[in-house]
Amino acid sequence: MPRVYGGVQASERRAARRQRLLDAGLDLLGTDGWSATTVRAVCARARLTPRYFYESFADLDTLLLAVFDEITDEVAVRVLAAVTPPAGDARATARAAIAAGVEVLTDDPRKARVMFAEAMGSEALAKRRRETLRGFAALVAAQGSAFYGIGDPA
């Protein structure tokens, strides 16, 4: 049975360390850039040893993808919340969705840098960015088709 340390379960401590690593990864990637984001730098910023890094992530690319995914998940949640009923005015709905997505990126410019600049520095991030953009495009197309009552042309 995992030990409780300071009243905190092992799984909770592990999750907290993982989040510290993600926060450090966002900070480094979003301020110093992809080339300065190393396992050593992430560990130093998170104030954790490499042992804890590898407890949560297989390698640096895995961390970078997790940072990217956290940002895109936040954008998706905020955009979907903005288009949740009441609907009816397509222009207002579109503006609300766009504003919600942009707000995530302008509230924390590091996130915009990760999404649009640093994602091009890493092959893994560039691939994930392309996949994500395709996914968002499909979501927009589906929302537009549903709003205008357009069925599958096939």
Side-chain angles (χ1 to χ4, degrees), residues 2-4 7 70 74 110 122 133 147 151:
R3 285 185 36 184
V4 174
E70 271 199 340
E74 182 181 356
R110 298 173 308 167
S122 156
L133 289 175
F147 181 82

Side-chain angles (χ1 to χ4, degrees), residues 66-126:
V67 168
F68 187 89
D69 290 345
E70 271 199 340
I71 297 167
T72 58
D73 289 349
E74 182 181 356
V75 169
V77 165
R78 298 267 294 271
V79 166
L80 289 173
V83 298
T84 301
D89 181 354
R91 178 169 279 156
T93 300
R95 285 179 189 261
I98 292 166
V102 168
E103 193 174 271
V104 170
L105 303 176
T106 56
D107 284 352
D108 188 344
R110 298 173 308 167
K111 294 176 182 178
R113 182 174 175 176
V114 170
M115 294 283 297
F116 298 113
E118 299 306 325
M120 304 311 284
S122 156
E123 185 177 328
L125 281 176

Side-chain angles (χ1 to χ4, degrees), residues 28-38 60-61 64 113-114 117-125:
L28 280 163
L29 195 57
T31 57
D32 298 338
W34 174 76
S35 61
T37 306
T38 63
L60 185 60
D61 280 346
L64 298 179
R113 182 174 175 176
V114 170
E118 299 306 325
M120 304 311 284
S122 156
E123 185 177 328
L125 281 176

